[in-house]
Amino acid sequence: MSTYLVPVDFSKTAEHAAKYAARLSYAMANSKIILLNAYYVSEYESILPTPDMVITTEEHIADEISRRNKALEKLKLKLLEINADADIEISLTRQTILRSIIDRINREKIDLIIIGSNGKKAKEESDIGSNAIKISKSSPVPVLVVPPKAHYESIRKAVLACDFKKVKEVIPMQALKNILSKHSLNLQVLNIDAGHKVNSEEEHFLHDMLKDFSPTYHYSSHPDTIKGIVKFAKSEGAQLIIALPKKYSFFESLLHESVSQKLTIKSHVPVLLLKD
């Protein structure tokens, strides 16, 4: 069974990601969706009044928990309209969202975290979308970031972007195999550092590591790396971009919020942050 963890805060962004997960579960047999909402009240909130002079009492907390559980049930019903046979669990925790995600991962096998990305023109910004990069930094499992305009398509072609440097340290082979073994993908490997001389030894290592997936290799000389990746993915008709945010990799910079937000906002397809 594939289990998808979808953190939600009842924003349009989070609902969009949840609907993507429902469509993915429809395409993937024997899968489960966990809708996770975190309601954390700090010690200070229970002592000090809010700016409008309201103190968070136990009664207020109980009412808010009831409201959130009803909202989770409502969202679950929306997802069941997409996939009537979906196995959907709702979960409300009293910890921070990051702690809630890590605790859930520690308790059971989670295959993928699906998060919505806030767009530049988002009318309603999601707190979870704003923290997508922080979550991807801490998560030991892959994180799929779904841009605002990205809609589910059967994943037939994926772009794996890397800089052909220290490939043995950079390519998370086990995580990559886990993804590729579940999808019959046409893998396009894009060298995003083609303006520099390619190390033939590193290139040989990469070809040898990925030979079981029969990828095709391409080279980008676009002056803007992010635009180059997005333009290539669009020209190839890819349904997924795979990024490798790991030490020594160019994509280590994807864990810097400004760069990764550019990629997830400008990309027309979901971006998979893949780590070992």
Side-chain angles (χ1 to χ4, degrees):
M1 171 179 284
S2 297
T3 302
Y4 309 128
L5 181 63
V6 187
V8 296
D9 55 9
F10 310 117
S11 64
K12 293 294 183 183
T13 297
E15 182 175 321
H16 178 64
K19 288 180 177 178
Y20 185 97
R23 292 184 175 94
L24 179 61
S25 72
Y26 183 81
M28 298 291 291
N30 194 27
S31 57
K32 175 183 178 181
I33 298 172
I34 301 171
L35 298 175
L36 176 67
N37 178 251
Y39 176 41
Y40 175 69
V41 179
S42 69
E43 184 178 348
Y44 294 104
E45 289 178 271
S46 61
I47 298 174
L48 301 175
T50 63
D52 53 358
M53 301 307 291
V54 175
I55 296 178
T56 306
T57 63
E58 289 299 322
E59 183 179 3
H60 171 85
I61 291 173
D63 288 344
E64 181 63 15
I65 289 174
S66 176
R67 184 190 73 80
R68 288 176 180 241
N69 275 319
K70 289 178 181 178
L72 283 169
E73 290 288 356
K74 184 177 180 180
L75 179 56
K76 177 179 177 178
L77 290 176
K78 288 183 179 180
L79 302 192
L80 288 173
E81 291 177 3
I82 297 172
N83 180 7
D85 298 322
D87 180 1
I88 302 174
E89 175 189 339
I90 62 173
S91 176
L92 190 151
T93 75
R94 295 294 309 281
Q95 298 176 309
T96 63
I97 186 61
L98 186 56
R99 183 71 264 166
S100 300
I101 289 171
I102 299 303
D103 281 356
R104 189 72 193 223
I105 291 171
N106 289 336
R107 291 207 316 268
E108 67 181 285
K109 184 179 183 298
I110 302 295
D111 296 279
L112 187 66
I113 298 172
I114 301 178
I115 297 175
S117 168
N118 290 325
K120 289 182 178 179
K121 299 180 180 180
K123 295 181 179 179
E124 182 184 5
E125 188 169 286
S126 163
D127 287 338
I128 293 173
S130 299
N131 288 291
I133 306 309
K134 184 183 292 185
I135 292 170
S136 69
K137 283 182 179 181
S138 304
S139 169
V141 302
V143 176
L144 185 70
V145 183
V146 183
K149 295 182 180 180
H151 296 284
Y152 178 77
E153 293 182 76
S154 177
I155 303 174
R156 303 177 302 278
K157 184 180 290 189
V159 173
L160 172 64
C162 59
D163 56 12
F164 287 31
K165 294 179 181 177
K166 298 185 181 293
V167 296
K168 285 186 176 181
E169 295 94 332
V170 168
I171 305 293
M173 284 305 299
Q174 190 55 53
L176 187 60
K177 285 180 179 179
N178 289 341
I179 294 295
L180 296 178
S181 64
K182 295 179 180 179
H183 302 271
S184 179
L185 288 180
N186 180 332
L187 184 63
Q188 310 283 310
V189 180
L190 178 66
N191 178 9
I192 48 78
D193 196 24
H196 299 79
K197 185 177 180 180
V198 176
N199 184 308
S200 59
E201 184 178 3
E202 293 291 328
E203 188 173 28
H204 174 75
F205 281 144
L206 184 62
H207 281 250
D208 188 57
M209 291 169 67
L210 299 177
K211 63 183 179 181
D212 291 343
F213 307 124
S214 302
T216 57
Y217 292 85
H218 307 266
Y219 302 84
S220 170
S221 57
H222 199 291
D224 185 317
T225 300
I226 301 301
K227 288 182 179 179
I229 296 170
V230 173
K231 183 178 179 180
F232 176 80
K234 184 172 289 188
S235 68
E236 289 294 317
Q239 292 80 36
L240 182 69
I241 295 173
I242 302 175
L244 309 172
K246 195 170 180 180
K247 189 176 180 182
Y248 304 126
S249 170
F250 168 82
F251 278 97
E252 181 182 1
S253 62
L254 284 178
L255 293 182
H256 295 199
E257 187 170 351
S258 60
V259 178
S260 61
Q261 293 240 350
K262 283 181 183 178
L263 181 60
T264 55
I265 290 172
K266 291 185 178 181
S267 176
H268 60 294
V269 297
V271 177
L272 180 66
L273 298 178
L274 194 61
K275 297 179 290 184
D276 273 333

